[in-house]
Amino acid sequence: KNQVEQSPQSLIILEGKNCTLQCNYTVSPFSNLRWYKQDTGRGPVSLTIMTFSENTKSNGRYTATLDADTKQSSLHITASQLSDSASYICVVSPHRSNDYKLSFGAGTTVTVRA
Amino acid sequence: NAGVTQTPKFRVLKTGQSMTLLCAQDMNHEYMYWYRQDPGMGLRLIHYSVGEGTTAKGEVPDGYNVSRLKKQNFLLGLESAAPSQTSVYFCASRTSGVYEQYFGPGTRLTVT
């Protein structure tokens, strides 16, 4: 069973609207949680990285939150643009000193329509 | 900076053929990784390297070999390709002390 579950699997939103993606994890111990954006046919690009002591981090119109007690994270996209159409991947790391044990979620595919 | 580059971008192999995927980075990163991405699944680590001349197995290493003869290059080899190795392969790299991994554009491999 995957230790990182993302929901929804996909969603469609209208340009200018907001949306929130969810990530639940069971990875333990926990060091940091990352959100990546992956455009179709491209490699993932880092959006945010949060350690266990952080509960929110922003990158432009992207805001990630983390609740390490409930093992949940969310990624909020504000005022969506067509360029936000992509897959968003949640990644959890159990170790601070190395990352060969990263757990990747399967991603949420976001489609923004004009 | 080109960042992380991968060659080739696409490849079709017949079962039993061999090939090598090349990953190159120009950021002087110590750590390099090879992942595969399959539909409906998260990325899975195949092999990784913490420095020139060193390699280690990841989560799904069977059927693959790697080499890191130069710091900037990380090669992934398939000695005898199988249809189960049809996937998109991503290379990534990072520097010491920083969490962020930088990914290449991927190689789409089909084994028939």
Side-chain angles (χ1 to χ4, degrees):
Chain A
K1 186 179 187 296
N2 197 354
Q3 296 186 73
V4 179
E5 299 288 345
Q6 293 187 242
S7 61
Q9 188 174 14
S10 63
L11 66 92
I12 299 172
I13 58 173
L14 292 177
E15 188 177 15
K17 299 297 185 182
N18 305 334
C19 69
T20 300
L21 316 180
Q22 300 292 340
C23 173
N24 295 338
Y25 62 93
T26 58
V27 175
S28 183
F30 168 79
S31 170
N32 61 81
L33 185 144
R34 316 165 191 196
W35 283 94
Y36 282 86
K37 178 187 180 188
Q38 184 176 20
D39 292 320
T40 301
R42 308 288 293 272
V45 174
S46 179
L47 289 176
T48 63
I49 300 175
M50 292 180 290
T51 65
F52 62 88
S53 61
E54 298 175 290
N55 54 27
T56 188
K57 182 159 284 189
S58 292
N59 179 355
R61 294 179 295 100
Y62 301 101
T63 299
T65 64
L66 172 64
D67 186 334
D69 291 333
T70 62
K71 297 187 182 338
Q72 295 180 325
S73 177
S74 65
L75 181 69
H76 186 75
I77 305 175
T78 302
S80 61
Q81 300 177 358
L82 296 179
S83 60
D84 293 330
S85 294
S87 178
Y88 293 84
I89 301 171
C90 176
V91 185
V92 179
S93 173
H95 299 286
R96 183 184 66 182
S97 59
N98 62 60
D99 52 6
Y100 64 86
K101 292 288 189 182
L102 295 182
S103 293
F104 288 78
T108 292
T109 300
V110 174
T111 303
V112 181
R113 293 205 171 141
Chain B
N1 280 356
V4 180
T5 58
Q6 295 182 231
T7 53
K9 289 185 169 53
F10 304 93
R11 185 72 186 269
V12 178
L13 287 179
K14 294 187 187 304
T15 298
Q17 288 184 321
S18 64
M19 77 164 295
T20 300
L21 283 68
L22 170 63
C23 174
Q25 52 92 6
D26 61 2
M27 297 174 283
N28 202 34
H29 286 174
E30 294 84 2
Y31 297 81
M32 297 188 75
Y33 311 83
W34 274 109
Y35 294 94
R36 60 178 289 172
Q37 185 176 43
D38 299 297
M41 300 178 69
L43 277 84
R44 292 181 291 169
L45 183 65
I46 303 171
H47 285 280
Y48 66 99
S49 169
V50 300
E52 180 179 323
T54 72
T55 63
K57 295 180 180 179
E59 178 186 356
V60 288
D62 294 343
Y64 306 95
N65 57 76
V66 288
S67 65
R68 183 110 180 259
L69 299 179
K70 293 182 179 181
K71 187 176 184 179
Q72 63 267 33
N73 295 338
F74 196 27
L75 279 63
L76 178 70
L78 286 74
E79 290 188 348
S80 180
S84 60
Q85 293 178 305
T86 293
S87 188
V88 181
Y89 292 85
F90 288 99
C91 176
S93 71
R94 73 171 177 92
T95 192
S96 178
V98 175
Y99 293 136
E100 183 174 1
Q101 291 187 16
Y102 293 84
F103 284 82
T107 294
R108 183 174 294 275
L109 175 66
T110 302
V111 183
T112 62

